[in-house]
Amino acid sequence: MSHQVVIIGSGPAGLTAAIYTARANLSPLVIEGWQSGGQLTTTTEVENYPGFTHGIMGPELMNAMRRQAERFGAQFMAGDVSRVNFRRHPFELIVEDEQTVQAMTVIIATGASPVQLGLSNERRLTGHGVSTCATCDGFFFRGKDLVVVGGGDSAMEEAIFLTKFATSVTIVHRRDKLRASKIMQDRAMKNEKIRFLWNSVVEDILGQDTVTGVRLRNVVTGSVLEVPCAGVFIAIGHRPNTTLFAGQLAMDERGYLRTYNGTATSVPGVFAAGDVQDSKYRQAITAAGSGCMAAIDAERFLETLEHR
Ligand code: NAP
């Protein structure tokens, strides 16, 4: 039997699409992905999601969205989609290389993943001092000196959070101006445990079994500096999770899904919402908003199928 709507991903976009399509009696199936609840499950307090005067913890927000979707009858399936076939209709999705799921419409909400620096020691020492998630790993660095790489909101947020545990946090940024919003910049700059190293890139991460430091190069002067630290948190942006759709859906040069006239992708009946198609706003609330749009677009597409 073919599902009316299958949603790939369970972040704010996927869960909002689930709430709307479930309320429209379309019995959506949500294939959750390896990180159920998406990126917000790795953050602490979300202060800018409307409706929560004093903020809400990321995992709590995602949990509430999921329960809301379940209340209206959304079904959840654990696991990752390993392959899709959008060349036939109903569409076909293979979950965890074994189970086949058929769908009349698909809403893609697979989000984005943290970008890595691409150093071989970064890969080798991941989980041994190298991390992309302060909320997951910060606790292990009580009383240590840490380095955060990046100049955006994520880097500021990670650094501020890490000061709860660390003795000091050094933010290493490749330019002399931050990309982060003013409010996050101010908070980081006011924090006595945080210092900045400007115009600097990480050339190598040092350490045998665990991280012992980083080697930095100043891109203006060319000078090299070794900074001892017990952990390196990489916060240099995100890449859309679209490998699965290569060759089947139109993407821009950075791999974001192209959407047309709302949330439609290049294949009729396949819609995209959230960070997987948004390189500009990338907020929980915009992801949720586009999840709602995708649900409405999917519902209208199903109506046109009925009339054919
Ligand atoms: P981002 O805004 O794209 O910032 C990435 C940062 O990493 C930039 O400063 C960039 O430098 C640097 N960078 C990129 N590649 C690098 C490399 N190979 N080596 C060294 N540095 C590199 O990403 P983000 O901070 O993850 O934020 C993503 C979105 O989420 C933004 O829209 C942000 O506002 C939002 N966000 C919001 C909050 C909040 O409101 N509390 C928290 C987190 C994220 P350049 O500046 O030189 O390009």
Side-chain angles (χ1 to χ4, degrees), residues 48 116-117 149-155 157 173-175 177-179 181 184 201 235-238 280-283:
N48 49 11
Q116 313 278 322
L117 290 168
V149 186
D153 278 333
S154 297
E157 195 172 72
H173 184 37
R174 64 183 178 184
R175 292 188 294 142
K177 273 199 187 64
L178 294 172
R179 182 177 294 279
S181 57
M184 297 298 280
V201 292
I236 58 170
H238 293 82
K280 187 173 175 193
Y281 301 105
R282 297 178 296 181
Q283 305 297 305

Coordinates of all heavy atoms in Angstrom, one line a residue, residues 48 116-117 149-155 157 173-175 177-179 181 184 201 235-238 280-283, ligand 1:
N48 N 14.6 32.2 20.6 CA 13.9 33.0 19.6 C 12.8 32.3 18.9 O 12.3 32.8 17.9 CB 14.9 33.6 18.6 CG 15.8 32.5 18.1 OD1 15.6 31.3 18.3 ND2 16.9 32.8 17.4
Q116 N 33.1 20.1 8.3 CA 34.3 19.8 8.9 C 35.4 20.6 8.3 O 35.3 21.1 7.2 CB 34.7 18.3 8.7 CG 33.5 17.4 9.0 CD 33.4 17.0 10.5 OE1 34.4 16.9 11.2 NE2 32.2 16.9 10.9
L117 N 36.6 20.7 9.0 CA 37.7 21.5 8.4 C 38.4 20.7 7.3 O 39.0 21.3 6.4 CB 38.7 21.7 9.5 CG 38.3 22.8 10.6 CD1 39.3 22.7 11.8 CD2 38.3 24.2 10.0
V149 N 36.3 26.9 16.7 CA 36.6 27.5 15.4 C 35.4 28.0 14.7 O 34.4 27.3 14.6 CB 37.3 26.4 14.5 CG1 37.8 27.0 13.2 CG2 38.4 25.7 15.2
G150 N 35.4 29.2 14.2 CA 34.3 29.8 13.5 C 33.9 31.2 14.0 O 34.3 31.6 15.1
G151 N 33.2 31.9 13.1 CA 32.8 33.3 13.5 C 31.3 33.6 13.4 O 30.9 34.8 13.4
G152 N 30.5 32.6 13.3 CA 29.1 32.7 13.1 C 28.3 32.6 14.5 O 29.0 32.4 15.5
D153 N 27.0 32.6 14.4 CA 26.2 32.4 15.6 C 26.5 31.1 16.3 O 26.5 31.0 17.5 CB 24.7 32.5 15.3 CG 24.2 33.9 15.1 OD1 24.8 34.8 15.8 OD2 23.3 34.1 14.4
S154 N 26.7 30.0 15.5 CA 27.0 28.7 16.1 C 28.2 28.8 17.0 O 28.3 28.3 18.1 CB 27.1 27.6 15.0 OG 26.0 27.5 14.3
A155 N 29.3 29.4 16.4 CA 30.6 29.4 17.2 C 30.4 30.2 18.5 O 30.9 29.8 19.5 CB 31.6 30.1 16.3
E157 N 27.6 30.7 20.1 CA 26.7 29.9 21.0 C 27.5 28.8 21.7 O 27.4 28.5 22.9 CB 25.6 29.3 20.2 CG 24.4 28.8 21.0 CD 23.3 28.4 20.1 OE1 23.3 27.4 19.4 OE2 22.3 29.2 20.1
H173 N 39.0 32.6 14.5 CA 38.2 33.0 13.3 C 39.2 33.5 12.2 O 40.2 34.1 12.4 CB 37.3 34.2 13.7 CG 36.4 34.6 12.6 ND1 35.8 33.7 11.7 CD2 35.9 35.8 12.2 CE1 35.1 34.3 10.8 NE2 35.1 35.6 11.1
R174 N 38.8 33.1 10.9 CA 39.7 33.3 9.8 C 39.7 34.8 9.3 O 40.6 35.1 8.5 CB 39.3 32.4 8.7 CG 37.9 32.7 8.1 CD 37.6 31.6 7.0 NE 36.3 31.8 6.4 CZ 35.8 31.0 5.5 NH1 36.4 30.0 5.1 NH2 34.6 31.2 5.1
R175 N 38.8 35.6 9.8 CA 38.8 37.0 9.4 C 38.9 37.9 10.7 O 39.1 37.3 11.8 CB 37.5 37.4 8.8 CG 37.3 36.8 7.4 CD 36.1 37.3 6.7 NE 34.8 37.0 7.4 CZ 33.8 37.8 7.5 NH1 33.9 39.0 7.0 NH2 32.7 37.4 8.1
K177 N 36.5 40.1 11.4 CA 35.1 40.5 11.7 C 34.2 39.2 11.8 O 34.4 38.3 11.0 CB 34.5 41.3 10.5 CG 34.8 42.8 10.7 CD 33.9 43.6 9.8 CE 34.3 45.0 9.8 NZ 35.7 45.2 9.2
L178 N 33.3 39.3 12.8 CA 32.5 38.1 13.0 C 31.3 38.2 12.1 O 30.8 39.2 11.7 CB 32.0 38.1 14.5 CG 33.1 37.9 15.5 CD1 32.5 38.0 16.9 CD2 33.7 36.5 15.4
R179 N 30.8 37.0 11.8 CA 29.6 36.9 11.0 C 28.3 36.8 11.9 O 27.2 37.1 11.5 CB 29.6 35.6 10.1 CG 28.5 35.4 9.2 CD 28.7 34.1 8.4 NE 29.8 34.3 7.4 CZ 29.7 34.9 6.3 NH1 28.6 35.5 5.9 NH2 30.8 35.1 5.5
S181 N 25.4 37.3 14.8 CA 24.5 38.5 15.0 C 25.0 39.3 16.2 O 25.8 38.8 17.0 CB 23.1 37.9 15.4 OG 23.2 37.1 16.5
M184 N 24.7 38.0 19.8 CA 25.6 36.9 20.2 C 27.1 37.4 20.3 O 27.8 36.9 21.1 CB 25.5 35.8 19.1 CG 24.1 35.2 19.0 SD 23.6 34.4 20.6 CE 24.5 32.8 20.4
V201 N 43.7 30.5 10.9 CA 43.1 29.3 10.5 C 43.8 28.1 11.2 O 45.0 28.2 11.6 CB 43.2 29.1 9.0 CG1 42.3 30.1 8.2 CG2 44.6 29.2 8.5
A235 N 32.8 24.9 14.5 CA 31.4 25.5 14.3 C 31.5 26.4 13.1 O 31.4 27.6 13.2 CB 31.0 26.2 15.5
I236 N 31.8 25.8 11.9 CA 32.0 26.6 10.7 C 30.9 26.4 9.6 O 31.1 26.6 8.5 CB 33.4 26.2 10.1 CG1 33.5 24.8 9.7 CG2 34.5 26.6 11.0 CD1 34.7 24.4 8.9
G237 N 29.7 26.2 10.1 CA 28.6 26.1 9.2 C 28.1 24.7 8.9 O 28.6 23.8 9.5
H238 N 27.2 24.7 8.0 CA 26.5 23.4 7.7 C 26.4 23.1 6.2 O 26.5 24.1 5.4 CB 25.1 23.5 8.3 CG 25.1 23.5 9.8 ND1 25.4 24.6 10.5 CD2 25.1 22.5 10.7 CE1 25.4 24.3 11.8 NE2 25.3 23.0 11.9
K280 N 19.7 30.6 3.3 CA 19.7 32.0 3.7 C 19.2 32.2 5.1 O 19.9 32.9 5.9 CB 18.8 32.7 2.7 CG 18.8 34.2 2.9 CD 18.0 34.9 1.8 CE 18.0 36.4 2.1 NZ 17.0 37.0 1.2
Y281 N 18.1 31.7 5.5 CA 17.6 32.0 6.9 C 17.9 31.0 7.9 O 18.3 31.4 9.0 CB 16.0 32.1 6.8 CG 15.6 33.2 5.8 CD1 15.1 32.9 4.5 CD2 15.8 34.6 6.1 CE1 14.7 33.9 3.6 CE2 15.4 35.6 5.2 CZ 14.9 35.2 4.0 OH 14.6 36.2 3.1
R282 N 17.8 29.7 7.6 CA 18.2 28.6 8.5 C 17.9 28.7 9.9 O 18.7 28.5 10.8 CB 19.7 28.4 8.3 CG 20.1 28.1 6.9 CD 21.6 28.0 6.7 NE 22.3 29.2 6.9 CZ 23.5 29.4 6.7 NH1 24.3 28.4 6.5 NH2 24.1 30.6 6.9
Q283 N 16.7 29.1 10.2 CA 16.2 29.2 11.6 C 15.2 28.1 11.9 O 14.5 27.7 11.0 CB 15.6 30.6 11.9 CG 16.5 31.8 11.5 CD 17.7 31.8 12.4 OE1 17.6 31.8 13.6 NE2 18.9 31.8 11.7
Ligands
NAP1 P1 27.5 30.6 9.4 O1 26.7 31.7 9.8 O2 27.6 30.1 8.0 O3 29.0 30.9 9.9 C1 30.1 30.0 9.6 C2 31.4 30.6 10.2 O4 32.4 29.7 10.0 C3 31.7 31.9 9.4 O5 32.2 32.8 10.4 C4 32.8 31.4 8.5 O6 33.8 32.4 8.2 C5 33.5 30.3 9.2 N1 34.0 29.3 8.3 C6 33.4 28.7 7.3 N2 34.2 27.7 6.7 C7 35.4 27.8 7.3 C8 36.6 27.1 7.2 N3 36.8 26.2 6.3 N4 37.6 27.4 8.1 C9 37.4 28.4 9.0 N5 36.3 29.1 9.2 C10 35.3 28.8 8.4 O7 27.1 29.2 10.2 P2 26.5 29.0 11.6 O8 27.2 29.8 12.6 O9 26.4 27.6 11.8 O10 25.0 29.6 11.5 C11 24.1 29.0 10.6 C12 22.8 29.7 10.7 O11 22.1 29.3 11.9 C13 22.8 31.2 10.7 O12 21.8 31.7 10.0 C14 22.7 31.6 12.1 O13 22.2 32.9 12.3 C15 21.8 30.5 12.6 N6 22.0 30.2 14.1 C16 21.4 31.0 15.0 C17 21.6 30.9 16.3 C18 20.9 31.8 17.3 O14 20.1 32.6 16.8 N7 21.0 31.6 18.6 C19 22.5 29.9 16.8 C20 23.2 29.2 15.9 C21 23.0 29.3 14.5 P3 33.4 33.7 7.4 O15 32.7 34.6 8.3 O16 34.8 34.3 7.0 O17 32.7 33.3 6.2

